[in-house]
Amino acid sequence: MSDSAIIRIRNLGKSFGDHTVLKGIDFDVEPSQVVVVIGPSGSGKSTFLRCCNGLEQAETGSIEICGTRLLDQGQLVADHELNRLRTEVGMVFQSFNLFPHLSVLHNVTLGPRMLRSASRDEAERKAMALLEKVGLAHKAHAMPASLSGGQKQRVAIARALAMAPRVMLFDEPTSALDPELVGEVLQVMKVLAAEGMTMVVVTHEMGFAREVADVVVVMDGGGIIEAGPPSVIFSTPTQERTRGFLQAVLTRQ
């Protein structure tokens, strides 16, 4: 248990009807740490991530992020606290969720203008800097329909960063992309990691996990079966289930 953790989760449990999705998860993330969560489909990875910003409500346990108690013994904080917390926790989904009727620039500036009361000039100046970071400044006035999947996901990352979050959550951000577009999104995430952004990433991209993760967490059956540095998880995992999963995934890749 860490006193310095920016994310602190204890005994997290979640069910959908009679199906238990998360079972007693304990989890800490330190500031500037990159944690990559891997495991077979249906192991609870995405549900776990969605519980971390209140998109799903766990029934048991506690979640504390950025010094705010999000969940306490299965009870969510007040709505105004939840909304404030979401300005500090950015999330990038499998699908890009861009507003199709707004330009790239407008998509990125909307959150800061509505939720952080940023002026138009301030929001656009910051948005252009972020679009430059993700390699898309030249697409600022384009509409989402004209972008490739990789470009849309990079805009989604810029949009999340525009809120100046302290933590970024990524839910399989490359799973909806054609293989040749995966690299451009992972490269942006590598830059964020190098800059010290605290990140929790659910992914099947094992190369990214090996290269960038500080900690790899392996989930199966709704629980964490092991965790450790990538050098250990990928070379000498302790669990047979981890060995089987890695063998299957790495064979495909």
Side-chain angles (χ1 to χ4, degrees):
M1 187 177 297
S2 169
D3 292 333
S4 61
I6 195 168
I7 299 176
R8 187 178 292 110
I9 294 173
R10 296 291 177 268
N11 195 36
L12 196 68
K14 169 70 179 173
S15 298
F16 292 110
D18 294 333
H19 178 52
T20 300
V21 184
L22 301 176
K23 303 174 182 177
I25 289 180
D26 293 325
F27 191 85
D28 282 350
V29 179
E30 298 294 327
S32 299
Q33 197 171 51
V34 178
V35 176
V36 174
V37 183
I38 65 173
S41 297
S43 59
K45 304 183 302 295
S46 291
T47 300
F48 164 70
L49 208 63
R50 291 171 66 87
C51 286
C52 287
N53 71 347
L55 290 174
E56 296 284 357
Q57 182 176 352
E59 285 97 30
T60 62
S62 63
I63 303 173
E64 185 177 305
I65 301 182
C66 302
T68 296
R69 184 60 66 96
L70 170 61
L71 185 78
D72 191 1
Q73 301 302 314
Q75 297 298 311
L76 279 175
V77 299
D79 286 346
H80 70 279
E81 283 292 325
L82 181 58
N83 290 335
R84 184 186 66 77
L85 183 65
R86 284 178 178 160
T87 67
E88 298 189 312
V89 182
M91 187 156 184
V92 177
F93 300 87
Q94 298 176 39
S95 55
F96 323 116
N97 295 332
L98 300 179
F99 294 108
H101 61 293
L102 301 179
S103 70
V104 165
L105 184 63
H106 199 168
N107 265 280
V108 178
T109 59
L110 189 63
R113 293 191 66 189
M114 292 186 64
L115 300 176
R116 290 200 181 277
S117 302
S119 68
R120 178 174 177 175
D121 287 348
E122 178 187 4
E124 289 189 353
R125 183 169 60 253
K126 183 172 184 178
M128 288 304 299
L130 289 170
L131 289 171
E132 182 72 35
K133 177 191 286 285
V134 301
L136 289 173
H138 63 294
K139 294 290 188 179
H141 301 292
M143 301 302 287
S146 70
L147 304 179
S148 71
Q151 289 172 331
K152 289 176 184 177
Q153 194 61 296
R154 284 186 281 156
V155 172
I157 293 172
R159 181 178 59 181
L161 292 173
M163 296 300 292
R166 296 174 61 192
V167 174
M168 286 285 286
L169 309 177
F170 293 87
D171 185 9
E172 299 195 27
T174 61
S175 65
L177 302 180
D178 292 334
E180 65 268 22
L181 301 177
V182 168
E184 63 189 53
V185 174
L186 293 180
Q187 183 56 42
V188 170
M189 295 169 64
K190 290 175 185 177
V191 169
L192 294 179
E195 292 175 346
M197 174 62 74
T198 305
M199 298 163 60
V200 181
V201 183
V202 171
T203 186
H204 287 291
E205 298 294 335
M206 298 299 116
F208 176 85
R210 282 179 185 272
E211 181 181 349
V212 180
D214 298 301
V215 176
V216 175
V217 172
V218 186
M219 289 187 65
D220 186 45
I224 294 174
I225 59 174
E226 63 180 308
S231 59
V232 173
I233 296 298
F234 285 102
S235 62
T236 55
T238 62
Q239 301 298 312
E240 180 60 35
R241 187 69 184 94
T242 302
R243 289 193 287 272
F245 168 74
L246 289 175
Q247 183 177 14
V249 171
L250 294 173
T251 299
R252 289 198 303 269
Q253 294 184 358

